[in-house]
Amino acid sequence: MTGPDRLPSGFPDDEGADDFVREFRQAVSPADRELLAHTPPLVILEVAGGDAEYDSRVRRLVGALEQALRGRQDAKLVPYAIPTADDGSELLSGAAARGLALGMPKHMTPDRLPGFWPLWDSVAYIREHADERRAPGADVLRDHAHAQLRAHRHQRREGRLQVFLWALGGSESPPVGGIRGWLLGSLWQGITRTFPRWCWERRKTRKLVRAPRLFRPARQRWLGGMLGMSGDAETLFAVMDEVADRQMARLVLPPDHARHQESLAALEALLTRALLEDLKSPAVGRVRPLQRRRTARPVLLLPLPKEGRPGAEAVERFLCSFHQERRNTAQAAGPLVIAVGVPSRTLLANLGSPAVSSLTSAGRMLHQSGSDVILVRLREEPFTREGLIIRPTSPTSYRVGGRTVTAGVAGGTALALGLAGVGGTALLTPVKRESSSCVAGDMPVAGSRYTVPVPLHPKQWYDETLAEIRAQNRQAERFAEQGKTVRTVVAFTSNGPTSETDTLFDGTIPELRGIAMWQLKLNKDAISDDSRVPLRVEVLTTGKGFAHAEQKARELVDQVEHGQAGEDGGGDKGGKGGKGGKGGAKDYEQVVGVLGFAQSKETTRRALKILEQAELPVIGTTATADEMLVSANYWPLTPLNSTEARIEADFATGFPIVARASGGCEPARKAVVIQSSADLYSKSLADKFRGDFHGSTQLVNFSQEGDFTGSPAGTPKVRSAHDLAETVCDALRGAEPTVVYWSARARDFVAFVNALDTQGTCIHRDITMLGGNELTNVVLTGEFTDKDWLRLYYSAHRLPADAGAADERTKQFVSRYDAFVSGPAKDDPWRDDGHSAVSYDAFHVLSRAADMALSGQGGVDPNAMLTALRSGITFDGTTGYISYGQGSNMPPRDKTLVLLRQSEQGPRVALACGAYRQGRTSRTEGAACAAQ
């Protein structure tokens, strides 16, 4: 009972508060440490009430959440901060960084923020001296930042040599006069001032701007890419001096001037990106003691002043920067940010106008890689009474410091190595790999097992597959008539083929074959197994290249919300088979899940957001862009572009794949990257490959339609395949071993390869190309059998049947595929393609969720299927071992990714990563695979 002098406290007991509180604690310190690698959404808790109650309610909410982050003696249990701003000119990233650094939990690995602080000190100097209107110079910025580090942040120092030199460098020069003093002064200055600053600047440049040019070409880091740096000699503080050139003239303008505000936004974006880069969690599941002590996620709790109040601009500017820059960190884990207050219309527009969610939905998505922004509007009534007390989180704690454990481990390792050296030096001798032999053979694509291009019958194959799906649908409906529980799933595909060339560039037919094959197996199993739920398949075509995916998604949502049968699970309306549902529809017509999409495009990405409104589980097939993770109800089956790009970049620079003129191969030191900037998949894959490639890259934008949306300034924009061939040939004339990395679509690839062959100016030597799974659609048809200069590597999602490492499930699937395809199997172009196997496994996931969701009364509804999926699903699939983590909608753990080389015998395995059979793991597959 609250007295007259005591206001209600605790987290407001609104509908769904229990779910949100529980998930908040798990998101901050999950029981499964692997969940720290997921990207949490930005959460806005909108507070109701007038101006009189507003501040107290914001404080109440923030205080209730903070209560879960503190333990005994009010000590922090996890790193967190509550940054605030006194006026609109503040950069809130600095307050956030300072808050995270203060009061770290005992023996937990701290976030040192080694990249943020030099940038923060440089920006602070630029703002303080803006009225001078001239850039201070790189040396001035360096000395200022170094002095700040030396004076105030010794706890963040790196390197014992610098600690010693900093201790010596307390004075400008030794107190000695004359020539002796001058000589000592020069030596003193060099040792204690110039040399430490040079070393420090060089290391920061290597970490933030560009890696050094030693044995490999320079590699651009995030700051160099963000600011468009091109020269290898540009140091970190030379870069910041260029920032000063652009911003100082704007910073002296009145605070309400538009250009002044733009300058603050640019600086906040720069600092927020630095903060996010530093807060990337270390690799999960490794054995280094300090890494394993990162057992909790950093948290930022932001009180949001009402629009027009002091500090509101600063907080909203930080939230906009965080929202934008988080996308540029390739889905890095980062902090959990929860803003509390009333967001302005401008802020909501800048955050993508998020839909309003309930506390239950928000809690469910807290520890999942899903929606970018979650908006929850709290009602006023719960604030008038006592709320929930959030119990403190319980991250793993340690009694001994991490450095002590590290020292012990290092000592034990040194002792073991010493004993091994005494006992047998031969055990430590590295095996020398022959670097001149090409990976997976020396032969080009020409001379493959397809002596002539495969005869294609797309219309016949497409119609036969749809006929099989219709036949299996009728079998499922017969099951419903017999009293079995039957439901419907929707498969989103592009349009069916209208010509032979359609099948070269579109995986629709093999994907539908995989769906039909699983439906056939499911119906056979359901004859004797009452626990299986037969599933009808409704194939929805969405236009060429999924052009109408959004429209079809809206139609499905409308159907589910207004015209769907059996929404109560089929318990009382027509029995298990169902004759009664809403609007006279049968229960088996209730849609309980979706399969799709096969391509990552802006249209399919937006379609996923639309489908989320219907609360339907969506299992992805071969769409791989990280940017597709926009819905908490979407589970991809294949590895994301960020994983694929890392593996391909390490493969290209670590394995001999580029042909030498003298024979054999060598690793690539340069990559010519071809992208279609307006294509979500292409740009995503290209950007991530360029960021991970250990060498120089040259980006070329190619679009036969002339759409160069999102193309970086200064990069070539090419419309003609002939012009692209000339551009690539020019890049291949250099001395560096160069690979052509293809991230664009298969149709453009065919045009490019034909243009290279027609032009003939650079095919006198073999050309190595590396691409994604998109290329399998055309490669396996024998389209390039006459290209004896083409060395082609590409990714796939299952091992070929004749690969030695392929497990029995893969071989069994290929046997079933051969039996399913009409005509001789050797004439089918997609026998070794992964599209059919991926859709087969994706349907298996959805089917398994339906089986798990089957209630005792015979009901199956989408919510129960979502619960089943979030509880984790594991089985041995045709594309490898499938293991979805609990509470996560990321792709299966360590999902199979294979790099194939097209050769005279067909596809040969160049690299196999992941759990392509149970018991395998990327950590045992070598350096390139360990990137997963």
Side-chain angles (χ1 to χ4, degrees), residues 26-27 29-38 284-285 295 297 367 884-888 893:
Q26 292 181 5
S29 55
D32 184 354
R33 187 173 176 271
E34 290 191 1
L35 294 178
L36 290 176
H38 300 161
V284 173
T295 58
R297 188 187 305 279
H367 57 130
Y884 283 104
Q886 291 185 6
S888 168
R893 297 169 180 169

Side-chain angles (χ1 to χ4, degrees), residues 413-758:
T413 302
L415 178 61
L417 290 176
L419 293 175
V422 172
T425 307
L427 294 176
L428 302 180
T429 304
V431 178
K432 183 177 180 181
R433 185 177 65 191
E434 179 56 54
S435 61
S436 62
S437 59
C438 306
V439 178
D442 295 345
M443 294 298 292
V445 174
S448 72
R449 63 180 180 143
Y450 301 122
T451 56
V452 295
V454 176
L456 302 175
H457 309 286
K459 188 69 169 60
Q460 173 188 337
W461 294 339
Y462 183 79
D463 290 344
E464 287 174 350
T465 307
L466 286 185
E468 181 62 35
I469 291 175
R470 285 192 291 268
Q472 296 307 316
N473 285 347
R474 289 192 294 271
Q475 174 60 49
E477 290 164 12
R478 284 193 289 272
F479 281 134
E481 293 171 358
Q482 297 166 11
K484 270 186 173 292
T485 299
V486 178
R487 293 293 181 263
T488 296
V489 300
V490 171
F492 283 97
T493 70
S494 61
N495 275 5
T498 57
S499 67
E500 289 188 1
T501 57
D502 285 351
T503 57
L504 295 177
F505 317 122
D506 193 331
T508 297
I509 292 176
E511 181 165 302
L512 285 176
R513 282 175 172 173
I515 291 172
M517 288 173 63
W518 176 258
Q519 194 181 19
L520 177 64
K521 181 182 186 307
L522 178 61
N523 280 340
K524 286 182 178 179
D525 291 348
I527 294 174
S528 58
D529 190 344
D530 292 339
S531 67
R532 306 306 301 271
V533 178
L535 296 171
R536 299 170 67 255
V537 178
E538 182 180 348
V539 178
L540 290 184
T541 57
T542 60
K544 184 177 181 181
F546 297 93
H548 309 306
E550 294 173 82
Q551 174 189 336
K552 294 296 183 179
R554 289 193 186 94
E555 291 175 2
L556 178 58
V557 170
D558 184 69
Q559 174 188 347
V560 170
E561 292 181 347
H562 301 104
Q564 189 55 261
E567 292 184 349
D568 62 349
D572 298 326
K573 296 183 178 182
K576 293 182 180 181
K579 294 184 178 180
K582 183 185 294 186
K586 297 180 175 63
D587 281 356
Y588 63 66
E589 293 176 341
Q590 180 190 359
V591 176
V592 295
V594 173
L595 290 168
F597 291 88
Q599 292 183 357
S600 304
K601 294 192 171 185
E602 285 296 341
T603 54
T604 55
R605 183 175 185 268
R606 291 192 290 265
L608 286 177
K609 286 294 293 181
I610 294 169
L611 289 173
E612 190 173 31
Q613 301 171 19
E615 290 288 324
L616 289 172
V618 183
I619 308 300
T621 51
T622 53
T624 57
D626 298 63
E627 291 79 2
M628 293 291 285
L629 291 170
V630 295
S631 168
N633 300 338
Y634 171 65
W635 277 262
L637 186 78
T638 48
L640 300 175
N641 280 354
S642 52
T643 298
E644 180 175 336
R646 284 196 302 269
I647 292 175
E648 290 172 342
D650 289 337
F651 171 76
T653 54
F655 292 77
I657 64 171
V658 179
R660 291 172 174 163
S662 58
C665 291
E666 59 186 319
R669 295 292 173 261
K670 177 182 177 182
V672 182
V673 180
I674 315 298
Q675 76 165 12
S676 297
S677 59
D679 188 325
L680 179 65
Y681 158 80
S682 178
K683 190 175 189 306
S684 168
L685 189 60
D687 287 347
K688 291 170 177 59
F689 179 84
R690 292 172 63 211
D692 291 322
F693 186 75
H694 309 298
S696 61
T697 59
Q698 177 179 339
L699 180 65
V700 181
N701 294 282
F702 180 52
S703 171
Q704 297 190 77
E705 295 77 23
D707 187 355
F708 297 105
T709 306
S711 174
T715 57
K717 299 178 180 63
V718 182
R719 292 193 60 171
S720 162
H722 175 81
D723 294 342
L724 179 62
E726 288 189 340
T727 302
V728 172
C729 284
D730 289 341
L732 294 176
R733 291 192 178 100
E736 292 180 305
T738 303
V739 62
V740 178
Y741 185 76
W742 189 269
S743 74
R745 296 293 177 180
R747 175 177 177 273
D748 294 331
F749 183 73
V750 174
F752 168 61
V753 170
N754 290 337
L756 276 175
D757 196 64
T758 302

